[in-house]
Amino acid sequence: MRRGLTLRVHAFFERRFPERRVFLKSDSDTRFIRLSSETQIIAVAGLALFVSWSIVATAIVLMDSIGSGNFRDQARRDQQVYQERLNAMSSERDRRAEEALAAQDRFNAALEQISTMQSELLSSETRKRELETGIDVIQANLRQTMREREILRRTVLDLRKQSAPDSPEQVLAATAPEQLDFLTTALAETAAERDQIQSDAQSALAQRDDLELELQLAAQRNDQIFRQLEEAMAISVEPLTKMFSSAGLPPDRILEQVRRGYNGEGGPLEPLSLSTRGEEPSADEVRANELLNQMSQLNLYRIAAERAPFSTPVNLGHVRQSSGFGYRRDPKTGGRRLHKGSDFAGSTGTDIFATADGVVTHAGWQSGYGRLVTIRHAFGIETRYAHNSNIRVKVGQRVSRGDHIADMGSTGRSTGTHLHYEVRVNGKPVNPMIYIKAARNVF
């Protein structure tokens, strides 16, 4: 049965692929090649497999090309959105800084106004006490004068009753009315002066009430200014603290190093003192000093951020990250080795920037790295920029964050045009993206 099935299958292929002969004729001889059914089937099957493989491979290449193109377009769009977000954050930070400076100016003006009002209030209180004392003295003198007038009037009446018409007593009695009129006039003037003093005292009291109301309004305005400043400081300081912590840099230690090495770049702010009599500081003075401490901390953060590599060495809108930090397979040796930095691929001549303030310690050729720029920063940090086509700095030169230091190339041990960027802390390589990602929502 099995043999019969084999014969039928063979007959089926004989009908579809009959035996063929290919004749090869020369001048002196004629030869032929016999192509059996099995040979033809194998040739057709091989050809079909080759065509199928070609179609599948072409489809895969086209799909990969389309997918990579979409991915690059998406990456460019993401980079553009990220750059716009960075610009918006930078503008917002600048506005916040301007608002803080304006609020500080308003706060200083308010403090000067409060000081003036306090001086006027003290003067008013002193004048009020003087007027009250004068009123008491005048009233005492007036009562004494009235008592003396009453005694004198009674004495005159007694003398008129007891003395003769031409006696000295009668003469004194006759002139007594003039003296009484004089005393009455003096008393009237004294009473008028007393009324004027009382009116002045009432005016002084009303003025004091107005000053107290102005002081209350000024206190409310100061409280509002304090709240705005405190909110601005909290918004400004918190992201910076988080940025340094995310980068593995203890904020307290970093700020203390900056404070010890401060050389006049903006400077720590001095505490505010309004009293010269050794009194306890007021609540406003305490809040003002806290704000000044926060402003000083913000300024120290600013200086520290410029000295640590939180910036990107290239414009991310024109390059792509082609390789990250970590262990990978060496294409030449086949073994695993530590890739000590991050690679950014781009076109030859792409601008490369310093990621922080520092001093150039190497600017030239180094085996493996090609044309290399090394910059020493604060806090034991060093950055390296390798495989450059051109170097634009010299050893010993001091650079700032964002300075153009080299052009991208493919020198040294390199398989294509790219920048090899390293960050080393105390000589030990660390992932550069830790610093770049930590600053992503700040700068």
Side-chain angles (χ1 to χ4, degrees):
M1 181 178 179
R2 182 179 300 176
R3 181 176 178 81
L5 180 61
T6 303
L7 291 174
R8 284 196 296 272
V9 171
H10 182 74
F12 174 79
F13 284 119
E14 280 287 344
R15 288 194 300 272
R16 295 293 186 272
F17 301 96
E19 180 177 311
R20 300 179 187 275
R21 294 182 180 181
V22 178
F23 289 90
L24 303 175
K25 185 178 180 180
S26 64
D27 293 336
S28 60
D29 191 12
T30 300
R31 295 182 181 184
F32 67 91
I33 298 174
R34 180 175 175 272
L35 298 176
S36 64
S37 299
E38 290 80 2
T39 302
Q40 296 179 48
I41 291 171
I42 292 172
V44 170
L47 181 61
L49 287 174
F50 176 75
V51 172
S52 300
W53 176 82
S54 300
I55 293 172
V56 172
T58 303
I60 291 174
V61 170
L62 289 176
M63 292 176 63
D64 183 66
S65 176
I66 294 172
S68 63
N70 293 334
F71 177 76
R72 285 193 295 271
D73 293 339
Q74 182 65 32
R76 282 195 294 270
R77 287 194 294 272
D78 292 342
Q79 290 171 353
Q80 184 176 2
V81 171
Y82 172 67
Q83 191 68 30
E84 291 175 355
R85 185 180 179 187
L86 285 178
N87 295 334
M89 290 293 294
S90 178
S91 301
E92 181 66 19
R93 180 200 61 188
D94 294 339
R95 284 197 298 272
R96 289 291 184 181
E98 292 175 357
E99 290 176 0
L101 292 175
Q104 185 178 4
D105 293 337
R106 292 196 300 271
F107 172 70
N108 293 332
L111 288 179
E112 293 178 358
Q113 186 178 2
I114 290 173
S115 178
T116 303
M117 289 182 177
Q118 287 177 339
S119 300
E120 293 177 356
L121 183 59
L122 291 175
S123 300
S124 176
E125 290 288 342
T126 303
R127 184 181 177 189
K128 176 190 170 185
R129 287 194 293 270
E130 291 176 353
L131 290 174
E132 289 176 349
T133 303
I135 290 172
D136 293 337
V137 173
I138 291 172
Q139 287 178 345
N141 292 334
L142 182 58
R143 286 192 293 269
Q144 180 66 27
T145 303
M146 293 179 69
R147 285 196 297 269
E148 291 178 354
R149 185 189 68 172
E150 185 64 24
I151 293 172
L152 182 58
R153 187 178 64 80
R154 291 176 182 177
T155 302
V156 169
L157 291 176
D158 291 340
L159 289 174
R160 284 181 177 177
K161 292 178 181 179
Q162 297 175 5
S163 303
D166 296 331
S167 63
E169 289 81 359
Q170 287 293 338
V171 175
L172 178 61
T175 58
E178 297 177 358
Q179 296 177 357
L180 288 174
D181 292 339
F182 174 77
L183 290 174
T184 302
T185 302
L187 289 174
E189 293 176 353
T190 303
E193 185 178 355
R194 179 199 62 186
D195 294 338
Q196 182 62 40
I197 292 174
Q198 287 179 343
S199 177
D200 293 341
Q202 292 297 329
S203 299
L205 291 174
Q207 186 179 5
R208 182 198 64 181
D209 294 337
D210 292 340
L211 289 173
E212 289 179 348
L213 178 60
E214 291 182 9
L215 284 175
Q216 292 176 359
L217 295 176
Q220 293 177 358
R221 289 194 298 270
N222 287 343
D223 184 66
Q224 183 178 4
I225 292 173
F226 274 124
R227 286 200 304 271
Q228 292 177 349
L229 286 173
E230 289 166 351
E231 291 174 359
M233 288 300 102
I235 292 174
S236 301
V237 172
E238 183 178 357
L240 291 170
T241 303
K242 185 177 179 180
M243 179 183 73
F244 279 92
S245 300
S246 300
L249 299 174
D252 294 337
R253 181 173 62 83
I254 295 300
L255 294 182
E256 182 60 28
Q257 283 184 297
V258 174
R259 188 178 288 107
R260 286 200 305 266
Y262 166 71
N263 59 2
E265 300 177 31
L269 302 175
E270 295 297 330
L272 183 65
S273 178
L274 299 178
S275 175
T276 59
R277 299 189 295 270
E279 300 175 352
E280 291 294 327
S282 64
D284 286 346
E285 291 176 342
V286 173
R287 294 180 72 179
N289 283 330
E290 290 178 355
L291 284 172
L292 290 176
N293 289 334
Q294 289 179 334
M295 290 179 183
S296 177
Q297 185 181 21
L298 182 62
N299 186 52
L300 294 175
Y301 267 131
R302 176 188 63 80
I303 297 173
E306 292 176 352
R307 298 178 179 178
F310 289 112
S311 181
T312 55
V314 288
N315 188 346
L316 295 179
H318 300 87
V319 300
R320 62 182 177 86
Q321 186 179 4
S322 58
S323 182
F325 179 89
Y327 285 93
R328 67 181 185 180
R329 180 176 175 275
D330 192 327
K332 293 187 177 181
T333 63
R336 288 176 57 82
R337 67 182 181 88
L338 175 63
H339 185 236
K340 300 177 182 179
S342 293
D343 291 345
F344 298 92
S347 58
T348 302
T350 299
D351 295 343
I352 298 174
F353 308 103
T355 56
D357 297 353
V359 178
V360 178
T361 58
H362 182 90
W365 188 274
Q366 183 167 325
S367 177
Y369 287 100
R371 289 190 177 92
L372 171 70
V373 174
T374 303
I375 302 177
R376 185 180 68 249
H377 309 283
F379 320 124
I381 300 175
E382 178 185 84
T383 55
R384 296 184 176 186
Y385 313 78
H387 308 308
N388 303 302
S389 62
N390 184 31
I391 295 176
R392 298 179 177 272
V393 292
K394 295 182 288 188
V395 174
Q397 180 178 342
R398 180 172 293 277
V399 296
S400 301
R401 183 178 66 186
D403 284 353
H404 185 190
I405 60 173
D407 300 328
M408 187 178 293
S410 184
T411 59
R413 188 180 182 185
S414 172
T415 58
T417 302
H418 73 287
L419 165 68
H420 174 78
Y421 173 57
E422 288 186 17
V423 175
R424 294 176 177 246
V425 179
N426 297 323
K428 181 181 178 181
V430 298
N431 190 351
M433 298 307 296
I434 293 176
Y435 293 87
I436 295 175
K437 291 180 179 179
R440 181 164 294 173
N441 296 323
V442 179
F443 299 111

